[in-house]
Amino acid sequence: MSNIVSNLSIILQRIEKACIDNKRDPAEVKLLLATKTVSAEYIKEALQVGQTLIAENKVQEIKEKYESLRDIRHTSHFIGHLQSNKIKDILKYDISCIQSLDRLDVAKKLQQRLEYEKKKIDVLIQINTSGEQSKFGVHPDKAIELVRSVSEFSNIQIQGLMTIGLFSAEAEKVRPCFRLLKQIQQEIIAEGIPNVNMHELSMGMSGDLETAIEEGATIVRVGTAIFGQRIYADSYYWNESQIG
Ligand SMILES: *Cc1c(COP(=O)(O)O)cnc(C)c1O
């Protein structure tokens, strides 16, 4: 037996407590399971006890686990770096939301493919709130411009923003990243751009979900605290130079 079910209950308690402490309705905050490197068997354990939202970072992993998870009800998001040449593949696997859209050229290709397949997709715009060169995401100063451009693609529906934030063991160092995401959300709302929703703020992970909830997260993405330590460093998934 794994510890997944007990880990999950600890996470759900942490989310609930953070909501109560910040006078937020726990129904406003969704738990997303970050399942990179986790086998379909373990993911199933979490789905069987009522979790419904999962996300992968690599198309290859979506593909590998797709058949095994097909017969169990869930929603899949994509939280990895989106490459143009993977768009066709990603649309095969019922991904309802791409949380990591950060470039206009990719958005353009996505729109073309969606038109061709007569499909629509939700996206979040990923913002690089930490200023770390290696991280993906549009620069905060360019966010509104990107949102404006993507809003013109009728098959792509923007639902909000996503950020990874500073990688730090201290939650307090991540807080300015979360605050910045919230601030950009407010600026975009004030622009009143047609065809743009800003209700989702995807931020916070295993180590800092309380801080993220305090700063307004509506989706927290948790991997390690549920499934255990991964063998690969996150840089394998997060850094441009490491993408194979
Ligand atoms: C892996 C990952 C997470 C989860 O991180 P943990 O520290 O394992 O909880 C969240 N967001 C993204 C984009 C990830 O790649």
Side-chain angles (χ1 to χ4, degrees):
M1 270 308 282
S2 73
N3 298 319
I4 292 170
V5 173
S6 60
N7 290 347
L8 257 173
S9 79
I10 294 167
I11 286 293
L12 292 171
Q13 281 168 28
R14 281 176 59 189
I15 293 173
E16 188 176 0
K17 183 174 186 305
C19 286
I20 292 168
D21 288 350
N22 293 285
K23 303 191 168 45
R24 295 191 57 194
D25 178 356
E28 279 174 28
V29 181
K30 292 185 273 288
L31 171 60
L32 175 149
L33 311 181
T35 52
K36 56 177 175 275
T37 77
V38 179
S39 71
E41 178 197 349
Y42 286 149
I43 298 170
K44 266 188 181 167
E45 281 191 35
L47 296 177
Q48 275 156 358
V49 294
Q51 289 307 302
T52 56
L53 181 57
I54 65 174
E56 291 289 348
N57 293 62
K58 285 187 181 287
V59 178
Q60 184 57 34
E61 284 193 53
I62 301 175
K63 200 171 181 173
E64 284 162 12
K65 302 169 199 178
Y66 184 70
E67 282 304 324
S68 318
L69 298 177
R70 226 180 157 166
D71 55 351
I72 177 161
R73 193 180 73 90
H74 66 281
T75 302
S76 283
H77 287 191
F78 184 71
I79 56 175
H81 182 53
L82 185 59
Q83 294 163 293
S84 301
N85 62 357
K86 295 287 163 63
I87 286 173
K88 229 166 107 176
D89 279 345
I90 235 177
L91 296 180
K92 284 184 202 156
Y93 299 108
D94 309 325
I95 302 299
S96 66
C97 180
I98 294 170
Q99 295 204 358
S100 43
L101 192 65
D102 63 356
R103 285 181 312 181
L104 187 56
D105 58 339
V106 174
K108 226 175 246 173
K109 294 223 169 75
L110 179 61
Q111 169 65 20
Q112 284 166 359
R113 189 69 205 175
L114 287 164
E115 265 174 45
Y116 177 77
E117 296 193 18
K118 300 190 170 57
K119 284 183 182 169
K120 291 198 173 198
I121 202 162
D122 288 340
V123 302
L124 305 184
I125 301 297
Q126 182 176 354
I127 303 197
N128 183 348
T129 54
S130 66
E132 292 165 288
Q133 290 292 322
S134 59
K135 290 265 177 71
F136 298 121
V138 63
H139 188 281
D141 294 346
K142 302 274 186 221
I144 293 181
E145 192 184 318
L146 180 63
V147 166
R148 215 177 264 292
S149 304
V150 173
S151 74
E152 289 170 16
F153 297 136
S154 55
N155 298 54
I156 300 178
Q157 181 61 60
I158 299 178
Q159 302 289 4
L161 305 176
M162 184 273 247
T163 198
I164 293 180
L166 193 70
F167 187 75
S168 169
E170 293 165 68
E172 279 316 307
K173 291 194 173 158
V174 198
R175 189 184 297 277
C177 299
F178 298 155
R179 265 202 190 150
L180 179 57
L181 198 71
K182 178 82 189 175
Q183 184 198 322
I184 296 168
Q185 176 204 38
Q186 295 305 307
E187 287 169 14
I188 294 169
I189 291 171
E191 296 279 317
I193 306 165
N195 193 34
V196 171
N197 289 329
M198 270 295 129
H199 49 249
E200 301 290 7
L201 278 186
S202 176
M203 55 190 197
M205 312 194 303
S206 291
D208 51 27
L209 66 91
E210 285 85 357
T211 313
I213 289 171
E214 195 179 338
E215 299 298 334
T218 64
I219 300 173
V220 290
R221 309 178 308 265
V222 181
T224 310
I226 295 169
F227 298 109
Q229 209 67 41
R230 292 177 292 269
I231 49 167
Y232 298 113
D234 286 336
S235 58
Y236 175 67
Y237 289 90
W238 291 349
N239 293 0
E240 191 96 56
S241 59
Q242 302 280 341
I243 297 294

